[in-house]
Amino acid sequence: MILRRPAETSLASSNAPGASLAGPWEHSNGWEPRAPLRWRFSLTTGVVVAIVVAVVTLATYATVTALLTARVDMALEEDATSLLGMSMNADSPEELGELVDEYRAFHPRSRTSIEPPQWAFAYGDSIPLGGAFRESGGGIETSIRTIGDERVVVKRHSSGATVALARDMTDTRAMVATLGTVLVTLAAAGILLAIMAGLVVSKAGLRPITRLQRAADYVTQTNDLRPIMVVGTDEMAQLTLSFNEMLAALQETRTRQSQFVADAGHELKTPLTSMRTNIELLMMANQSGNSASIPEEDRRELEKDVIAQMNELSTLIGDLVDLAREDASQKKTEKVELHEIVGTSLSRARRRRPDVDFQVRIEPWILEGDEFSLARAVLNLIDNAAKWSPPSGTVRISMRQINDSTLRLRVDDSGPGIPAEDREKVFERFYRSAEARSMPGSGLGLAIVRQVIERHEGSIRVLDSPDGGARLEALFPGYRGEGEVDSDPGFLNAEDGNERKKIFAERWFNQD
């Protein structure tokens, strides 16, 4: 059958507006906290699986579609190349007609158009011959495109011979559509299975959290800080260990608080009872019509005792407040000049004990910390040394940098010293040795000192002083300040001009 060459046709395409996609649920503020943790885990697992399955499904669909189309293109190109060679060797129109009929017989779903070289007409079906041609080698150009439901391959020789093949893609597209349906069904089933598996896994995985929650509820209801049994070595076991450590810390805090209240009550009771008795005696003596009278000397002694007991009570309350302040949360730190604190504390200690000789060497030192707490600790150290030094005794204070980030503060007294068995106990709250019970004090001063120093990442210990007293040696972190600080001239230029005292002081300040 002889056909005229059809005119070149152009295909128009239009893009329909796409519909907006909605998510599986509308996200609202505060949804996560209200949903159970198990469902949140399951839904999270489902969403992740859905995303992975969707990506895999789309990739599989696109790959299979591309492979099937490539196979059709390859088969059409092979057939078109074979027909092109035969058309160039045909000698008559009848031979071309037989060639077309034979191809249709073996490929019933394909259409064929053959144009011999230098001929003005084509044999076969009407197939558009346009498209983007590419070089295929051997003087042949190839065009591959889709028109409607057909895949069209056109091969054109430089001699003018042209072969066009069009194959119906309906069956291929139906196969791809079936594959897409199967993939979507499998994806939906996989997502449901993932959610169900997430529920099962989350229930098993959250069992230790449930046990931990029951334990926390038990502690809340019964106030019993009993530790929880640890099972395994995984992250939940580590969380349980941390919870048990928290319970132990709470129990220790509770014990310390109870002991602190008991000790404070006991320490407050003694001066209050004594002061109450003395005040009652003074009140009875001042009542009108009372025949009993107190001698003037005894009255003055009673008044002196009341004042001393009030001072003791005031000191005790101040120490308790300082301890409570140190037990509070971490305070804001600032740059503190330790040498200024030592100088100020020394001035206060000299006013309290003018009968004691203070010898001092100060170096500039700066650290990060709480100035009020550090001032209280340093003052307690110097006051403690002054309290235990006898009249005309000596208190030696030395600041010495031992490395780039550490300063040593020594405070030596000339008192009786501290026995080795009591050197750790003196830092305990309310501890007072047998010798100290006759001295004024609350037993809290050195406890405050150690608590402040340790909070500032330092340390303190008790040693023997070279002249038989006690040495309290504290280490402070920080760095050296700028400039120089004048030390107390008293320790080098003694007022009495005693050269031996001067040599001893120099040796004491320069020792390691």
Side-chain angles (χ1 to χ4, degrees), residues 226-475:
R226 184 181 303 173
I228 307 173
M229 181 178 63
V230 180
V231 179
T233 58
D234 56 4
E235 290 79 4
M236 293 307 305
Q238 297 300 321
L239 178 61
T240 305
L241 286 174
S242 299
F243 188 80
N244 288 340
E245 291 175 359
M246 181 189 69
L247 293 180
L250 289 175
Q251 183 63 48
E252 182 181 358
T253 301
R254 178 189 294 176
T255 303
R256 290 176 57 188
Q257 183 180 17
S258 300
Q259 185 65 36
F260 180 78
V261 172
D263 293 341
H266 175 74
E267 294 294 331
L268 288 171
K269 183 178 180 180
T270 301
L272 283 174
T273 301
S274 178
M275 186 167 58
R276 177 181 177 181
T277 302
N278 291 335
I279 292 175
E280 287 178 350
L281 289 175
L282 290 174
M283 292 175 61
M284 291 174 58
N286 291 331
Q287 288 179 356
S288 60
N290 189 359
S291 57
S293 61
I294 299 178
E296 186 65 24
E297 183 178 354
D298 293 341
R299 180 190 298 274
R300 286 197 298 269
E301 288 295 330
L302 285 176
E303 293 174 350
K304 183 178 179 181
D305 288 343
V306 169
I307 294 175
Q309 291 154 3
M310 291 178 62
N311 291 332
E312 181 181 355
L313 187 60
S314 176
T315 301
L316 177 59
I317 293 175
D319 290 340
L320 292 174
V321 170
D322 287 339
L323 275 178
R325 185 175 182 270
E326 289 302 316
D327 287 336
S329 59
Q330 187 71 23
K331 305 165 189 64
K332 183 178 179 180
T333 60
E334 58 183 348
K335 288 186 178 179
V336 180
E337 296 181 345
L338 187 62
H339 52 280
E340 294 290 343
I341 291 178
V342 172
T344 304
S345 301
L346 177 63
S347 299
R348 297 179 62 181
R350 276 177 167 159
R351 288 194 297 268
R352 297 177 183 177
R353 287 297 306 272
D355 57 335
V356 174
D357 181 26
F358 291 89
Q359 299 179 357
V360 186
R361 186 181 69 183
I362 299 178
E363 292 187 6
W365 193 255
I366 298 176
L367 71 157
E368 291 285 336
D370 179 18
E371 184 174 5
F372 180 86
S373 298
L374 289 170
R376 179 67 172 172
V378 172
L379 180 61
N380 283 355
L381 276 177
I382 300 176
D383 275 345
N384 181 78
K387 179 177 71 174
W388 287 100
S389 296
S392 301
T394 302
V395 173
R396 299 180 180 86
I397 304 168
S398 170
M399 297 176 65
R400 188 184 189 92
Q401 181 180 353
I402 59 176
N403 56 47
D404 292 341
S405 60
T406 307
L407 176 114
R408 181 185 64 202
L409 173 63
R410 279 179 175 172
V411 179
D412 288 294
D413 61 54
S414 51
I418 300 176
E421 62 272 12
D422 291 339
R423 290 180 180 178
E424 283 299 320
K425 298 179 182 179
V426 295
F427 296 111
E428 297 178 2
R429 298 180 178 185
F430 299 106
Y431 175 78
R432 302 184 71 186
S433 62
E435 296 81 2
R437 297 189 182 278
S438 60
M439 301 285 290
S442 61
L444 295 175
L446 292 182
I448 295 174
V449 170
R450 183 172 69 173
Q451 190 164 344
V452 170
I453 293 177
E454 290 181 350
R455 185 166 66 84
H456 287 80
E457 300 181 358
S459 62
I460 186 171
R461 60 176 179 170
V462 179
L463 301 172
D464 290 324
S465 175
D467 53 355
R471 164 178 290 178
L472 277 77
E473 187 174 273
L475 299 180

Side-chain angles (χ1 to χ4, degrees), residues 483-497:
E484 296 292 335
V485 178
D486 293 334
S487 298
D488 183 6
F491 79 96
L492 290 179
N493 301 303
E495 294 180 359
D496 57 3

